[in-house]
Amino acid sequence: MSTTRKHIALLGATGSIGTSCLDVVRAHTDSMQVDVLTAHSNWQKLAKQAADFLPKRVVLTGLKQDDVAANAFPAAVEVEFGEEALAEAVVAADIDIVITGIVGAAGLRGTWAAIEAGKRIGLANKETLVVAGSLVTKKAAETGAKLIPVDSEHSAIFQALECGQANEVAKIILTASGGPFRTWSAEKIAAATPESALAHPTWDMGPKITIDSATMMNKALEIIEARWLFNLEASQIDVVVHPQSIVHSMVEFVDGSVMAQLSPPDMKLPIQYAITWPDRIEGVSPKFDLTQTFSLDFEPPDLERFPALSLGFEVAEQGGTAGVVLNAANEIAVDRFLHSKIAFTEIPRLCRSILASHQFESDPTLDQLLSLDKWARQEALRWTSLTSHHSPSLTAPPC
Ligand code: NAD
Ligand code: MG
């Protein structure tokens, strides 16, 4: 790796990806530094991070000056507010890489600004590609922005792809942990509570992606993410359940060779690789002890118990406006489930219903996508309000 330090803008610094990224930087202060940290509302945690890392500026997107205690941030750190300030911060000339750790479609704004500025992007915010994959990849090709996946499966594929040429790829195989309900019966899943859905067996993540993992909507979003990131047909993407989360994904080449990337489940590794690529440096993630007995299991996913997964394949194939609608409906559904307003099994039902009722457009503009995002959220909220009572045991409206 070159001896110049990489200057990082870290979006969503207070979240799970954000704190893992800061662990990586803390271990490599000789080669990395954070210039920008952003958060939505947790100014106390952001202030603590600012005191530890002394970035040039911090941005709080969901607050105003009055919401934050005076002198909360070190005097040398500029404190700014709002989405506009975030977009300006990522395009600053001295930023080498933007790590997108914001959750949901809210991450699109900052990622888009970074793409327009031709930055290297460590992409954790998969929703950006789900919502606007065709426009994002087209714009990146125009500006020279480099999208390097942070999502562990996509990082694995990115690494495995280095073993061959693009035209030698037969298919990719995304691995899925199966989430906390992998072995649960359909009846038990129907009665799942937010607490049980938040107890992920192998990964420690933010609440939204943890619920997405329980429904397997996370894998659905990742199918769509992979479709755009690696320019594949939906038919070239397989999903296999691998409960240990050690094989992070695989690429099958035309000669039948399958290349996989393995490591203990820890996001610090793919975050670090996105920063150092094409180089590798000493890692901070735990390593295997291959002298101990361990086994790796693989099983096909069960689309009956996890119907969200089918939506991923369908939407990846449709493209156009399907991704933005699926994503917006899912964000509302997850929020409503976490507030015990809808049942767990209503999450994919709601998404399918909103998708089916939307006016499909195969080649949308960014403005069209943004207005469909709003429309789908309103429709999803309307759908949840039609549920006669806010109890997980009650039935949803027909769809
Ligand atoms: P999180 O909930 O832990 O953190 C989210 C961060 O985004 C916080 O810093 C929060 O302040 C910020 N944020 C929330 N709403 C915002 C808004 N409206 N505008 C601006 N900022 C906002 O989430 P996470 O688990 O770190 O996930 C972040 C992203 O990374 C998601 O897209 C997720 O799918 C992806 N991802 C996460 C993991 C993981 O291990 N956590 C793994 C792979 C991919
Ligand atoms: Mg993933």
Side-chain angles (χ1 to χ4, degrees):
M1 185 166 173
S2 80
T3 48
T4 50
R5 290 161 100 208
K6 291 256 163 53
H7 293 253
I8 299 168
L10 174 56
L11 314 187
T14 53
S16 164
I17 288 289
T19 48
S20 291
C21 181
L22 289 177
D23 287 344
V24 171
V25 175
R26 189 180 286 109
H28 298 293
T29 47
D30 54 332
S31 57
M32 305 172 190
Q33 72 177 60
V34 281
D35 282 5
V36 175
L37 294 174
T38 85
H40 198 55
S41 53
N42 190 348
W43 63 264
Q44 293 91 338
K45 186 165 181 181
L46 191 68
K48 166 101 189 40
Q49 293 176 332
D52 287 350
F53 288 89
L54 291 177
K56 287 184 188 151
R57 55 170 127 171
V58 296
V59 182
L60 281 153
T61 41
L63 298 179
K64 297 185 294 301
Q65 178 92 57
D66 294 351
D67 301 320
V68 177
N71 305 323
F73 289 86
V77 177
E78 257 182 72
V79 185
E80 293 168 356
F81 298 87
E83 281 205 333
E84 202 56 46
L86 181 145
E88 276 169 26
V90 303
V91 305
D94 48 0
I95 296 295
D96 298 310
I97 176 159
V98 181
I99 302 288
T100 66
I102 289 174
V103 61
L108 178 59
R109 182 77 193 276
T111 315
W112 187 261
I115 291 168
E116 282 191 313
K119 298 289 184 190
R120 175 191 287 209
I121 295 157
L123 190 83
N125 178 256
K126 66 192 79 181
E127 293 91 345
T128 287
L129 286 175
V130 174
V131 167
S134 70
L135 297 177
V136 161
T137 47
K138 197 165 148 227
K139 179 61 81 181
E142 274 166 33
T143 64
K146 179 82 186 159
L147 291 165
I148 304 182
V150 162
D151 213 350
S152 55
E153 296 78 359
H154 304 72
S155 175
I157 291 163
F158 183 76
Q159 294 177 60
L161 283 172
E162 294 182 349
C163 300
Q165 306 295 323
N167 63 0
E168 295 165 356
V169 174
K171 63 177 177 180
I172 65 167
I173 303 110
L174 293 173
T175 54
S177 70
F181 305 149
R182 181 177 64 86
T183 58
W184 285 28
S185 68
E187 295 70 36
K188 204 172 163 195
I189 290 174
T193 60
E195 292 68 35
S196 56
L198 284 169
H200 197 281
T202 49
W203 293 99
D204 180 13
M205 310 177 286
K208 193 259 179 184
I209 183 175
T210 305
I211 300 301
D212 286 347
S213 298
T215 55
M216 293 197 74
M217 185 65 83
N218 182 48
K219 214 47 55 181
L221 302 180
E222 290 183 355
I223 293 167
I224 305 162
E225 179 185 12
R227 182 257 171 275
W228 293 115
L229 203 49
F230 305 117
N231 190 24
L232 298 166
E233 302 291 329
S235 58
Q236 288 177 286
I237 305 172
D238 279 353
V239 170
V240 62
V241 173
H242 166 50
Q244 292 90 2
S245 302
I246 283 175
V247 175
H248 294 297
S249 280
M250 299 171 258
V251 175
E252 183 182 311
F253 289 94
V254 285
D255 60 359
S257 273
V258 176
M259 308 304 294
Q261 185 262 334
L262 285 72
S263 53
D266 186 317
M267 290 307 295
K268 292 193 286 295
L269 195 158
I271 293 169
Q272 175 174 310
Y273 190 60
I275 298 170
T276 64
W277 175 86
D279 302 313
R280 293 183 187 270
I281 60 173
E282 186 61 34
V284 282
S285 301
K287 294 187 180 144
F288 284 133
D289 180 358
L290 290 165
T291 62
Q292 301 300 309
T293 305
F294 72 99
S295 56
L296 302 174
D297 301 304
F298 299 92
E299 62 195 39
D302 182 343
L303 298 178
E304 300 267 311
R305 286 183 303 133
F306 298 100
L309 199 48
S310 304
L311 287 170
F313 287 111
E314 290 167 32
V315 168
E317 195 173 330
Q318 288 164 5
T321 48
V324 69
V325 172
L326 173 67
N327 180 70
N330 181 55
E331 285 193 32
I332 296 296
V334 169
D335 177 77
R336 297 294 76 198
F337 169 69
L338 283 172
H339 288 87
S340 301
K341 301 294 186 196
I342 62 169
F344 183 76
T345 44
E346 286 173 331
I347 298 173
R349 289 189 65 207
L350 184 159
C351 293
R352 184 168 285 290
S353 171
I354 307 301
L355 259 177
S357 67
H358 102 277
Q359 198 85 45
F360 179 78
E361 195 47 76
S362 60
D363 194 15
T365 63
L366 192 56
D367 283 347
Q368 279 175 311
L369 291 177
L370 296 177
S371 65
L372 258 179
D373 176 78
K374 279 208 190 84
W375 172 86
R377 282 167 204 271
Q378 280 161 5
E379 285 300 298
L381 278 172
R382 204 169 64 80
W383 193 97
T384 59
S385 69
L386 290 175
T387 309
S388 45
H389 298 278
H390 296 148
S391 160
S393 60
L394 292 164
T395 48
C399 59

